[in-house]
Amino acid sequence: MENCTTDLDLKAFNHTRMVFNHTRMMPMHGSLFYTIVFKLHLYIHPVLCIAGVIENTISVVIFCSKSLRMVSSNVYLAALSATSSLFCAANFVVWLETVDVGFFHQDVVCQTIIYSTYICSFLTVWFVVCITFENFLITVNIKCAVTVCTVKKARIMVCILTGLAFALYTFSLWTTNVMHIGGSDHCAYEIKFEQVLHIFTYIDITITSVLPFVSMVIFLGAIYVKLILKRVSKQPIATYHQPRRCRRNSKRTYQMLTRITRVLLAIGLTFTVFSFPTSVNKIRILVSNRPTPSFLHVEWAINQLCLIIYYCSFCIYFFIYLRFSTNYKKVLLRYVCK
């Protein structure tokens, strides 16, 4: 059973649990589409999770290094890497059921994994929004960015978002339990809390899909418009009146900001593209009717394909850092050569 509760989607969770319990050992009985997705889930899913844990753990160490942790954007990137690593680890534990390791279906483990995935899903979205917002300020109004984008404010924002996530998703600790169903134990929601879960489903989709997506579209759109206008008018990366004593360092500052905006822009764009199918699918399942048994395979396959696409983003970040961040590569080489 894939953890569709990580998407906080009640209908998707029900559908996935039913189809996977009945078909996990009989993948060839479904359609060709289902069979292909099943193979991806069986072999590609764990690879993405393991790679995500390793790559993002490396990124946490690098962004927390002395030379990088004093930049506000790197505070968000370190937090994003930490939550991404934890998210991949939690989803790997859930995937273990595919190979008959039912570690997920135990008391405490069940609630902890679901609670962790809710929190990480929320935080990864909003850390990317914060990253894109900083990129927006750097690109549109560098003078304002110098004031707003500070390490202290970034740390405060990370703490606020983390505290909000911990408080918001506490309901998962008392609405899920390990129940004996069909001769085996399953980590699932309790039926008596169905109405409560429906309410939180709408709340979660709003704050982890709708609002972030709208924000990202606005920020990314403004960034691209500004960059296009600058290219057409051949303006420098930032334009505001500097004191004479600072102008000698302006070229170096512009180059540094250019590198920063490239990294942040790539992160924001990657997350938006790879999370879009999952966001649309969550809304689709929420508003659709319960599928008939003959379509359960298709529902499971669609959901899994969207999730696999989403998980790819957690592995791509590492290569974005290597491609666009010179300082990241320098610190990485320093650690490797020790």
Side-chain angles (χ1 to χ4, degrees):
M1 177 190 68
E2 174 61 31
N3 185 21
C4 288
T5 56
T6 59
D7 294 320
L8 195 57
D9 195 316
L10 187 61
K11 290 183 180 180
F13 179 73
N14 282 333
H15 301 163
T16 301
R17 184 179 67 183
M18 291 177 62
V19 66
F20 197 77
N21 288 342
H22 287 88
T23 62
R24 51 188 272 183
M25 301 305 294
M26 299 180 294
M28 297 306 295
H29 289 187
S31 64
L32 177 61
F33 173 61
Y34 169 80
T35 303
I36 293 174
V37 175
F38 185 90
K39 294 297 183 181
L40 292 175
H41 169 71
L42 185 61
Y43 300 111
I44 302 301
H45 188 151
V47 173
L48 292 176
C49 290
I50 294 173
V53 171
I54 296 173
E55 293 174 4
N56 285 287
T57 301
I58 293 174
S59 296
V60 171
V61 174
I62 292 177
F63 286 124
C64 290
S65 64
K66 186 176 181 180
S67 59
L68 294 183
R69 66 190 178 199
M70 300 311 295
V71 179
S72 62
S73 298
N74 292 341
V75 173
Y76 291 121
L77 291 174
L80 174 63
S81 299
T83 53
S84 298
S85 181
L86 181 58
F87 184 82
C88 291
N91 277 280
F92 179 75
V93 172
V94 177
W95 174 88
L96 287 175
E97 187 189 10
T98 308
V99 291
D100 294 324
V101 179
F103 180 68
F104 173 57
H105 302 290
Q106 299 181 27
D107 278 321
V108 180
V109 175
C110 165
Q111 291 85 354
T112 301
I113 293 296
I114 292 179
Y115 185 50
S116 299
T117 51
Y118 286 158
I119 291 174
C120 292
S121 180
F122 172 86
L123 290 178
T124 51
V125 171
W126 284 103
F127 287 155
V128 173
V129 172
C130 291
I131 289 169
T132 309
F133 176 70
E134 283 212 348
N135 191 16
F136 166 77
L137 286 182
I138 293 171
T139 305
V140 176
N141 191 334
I142 183 62
K143 189 174 183 179
C144 179
V146 171
T147 304
V148 175
C149 303
T150 64
V151 173
K152 181 179 179 180
K153 291 178 180 178
R155 290 173 178 171
I156 292 174
M157 181 57 68
V158 169
C159 291
I160 291 175
L161 288 173
T162 303
L164 180 61
F166 272 87
L168 181 62
Y169 292 104
T170 52
F171 74 91
S172 65
L173 297 175
W174 47 268
T175 57
T176 55
N177 205 349
V178 176
M179 294 176 284
H180 196 71
I181 303 173
S184 59
D185 292 332
H186 291 275
C187 179
Y189 72 90
E190 297 193 44
I191 300 298
K192 62 182 178 181
F193 297 119
E194 185 171 350
Q195 293 301 320
V196 175
L197 287 172
H198 272 299
I199 295 173
F200 277 104
T201 297
Y202 286 104
I203 294 175
D204 180 76
I205 288 179
T206 301
I207 63 177
T208 63
S209 295
V210 179
L211 290 180
F213 181 76
V214 172
S215 301
M216 294 290 288
V217 169
I218 293 174
F219 293 147
L220 289 174
I223 290 170
Y224 275 108
V225 169
K226 186 68 174 181
L227 292 176
I228 291 172
L229 292 176
K230 285 181 177 179
R231 175 167 294 186
V232 171
S233 61
K234 297 182 180 180
Q235 294 179 359
I237 187 67
T239 55
Y240 67 96
H241 296 290
Q242 298 174 308
R244 183 181 300 273
R245 65 179 180 273
C246 296
R247 289 175 184 171
R248 68 183 65 177
N249 296 323
S250 61
K251 184 176 180 179
R252 182 183 303 174
T253 302
Y254 294 155
Q255 291 174 346
M256 181 189 67
L257 291 175
T258 300
R259 288 196 295 268
I260 292 175
T261 55
R262 286 175 181 174
V263 174
L264 303 186
L265 183 59
I267 292 294
L269 187 60
T270 298
F271 184 86
T272 302
V273 171
F274 282 84
S275 65
F276 180 73
T278 302
S279 300
V280 173
N281 188 55
K282 286 197 293 184
I283 297 174
R284 180 191 65 82
I285 295 178
L286 189 65
V287 301
S288 65
N289 296 322
R290 184 185 181 88
T292 60
S294 60
F295 284 97
L296 284 175
H297 286 80
V298 177
E299 284 290 317
W300 181 89
I302 293 174
N303 190 65
Q304 290 307 308
L305 183 59
C306 292
L307 288 175
I308 289 173
I309 294 173
Y310 177 56
Y311 297 155
C312 288
S313 64
F314 298 110
C315 299
I316 294 176
Y317 295 153
F318 178 75
F319 298 100
I320 291 176
Y321 304 145
L322 290 178
R323 172 64 180 83
F324 295 107
S325 178
T326 302
N327 291 330
Y328 184 94
K329 287 184 286 189
K330 287 180 179 178
V331 176
L332 179 60
L333 289 174
R334 189 187 310 155
Y335 280 112
V336 172
C337 295
K338 278 186 176 180

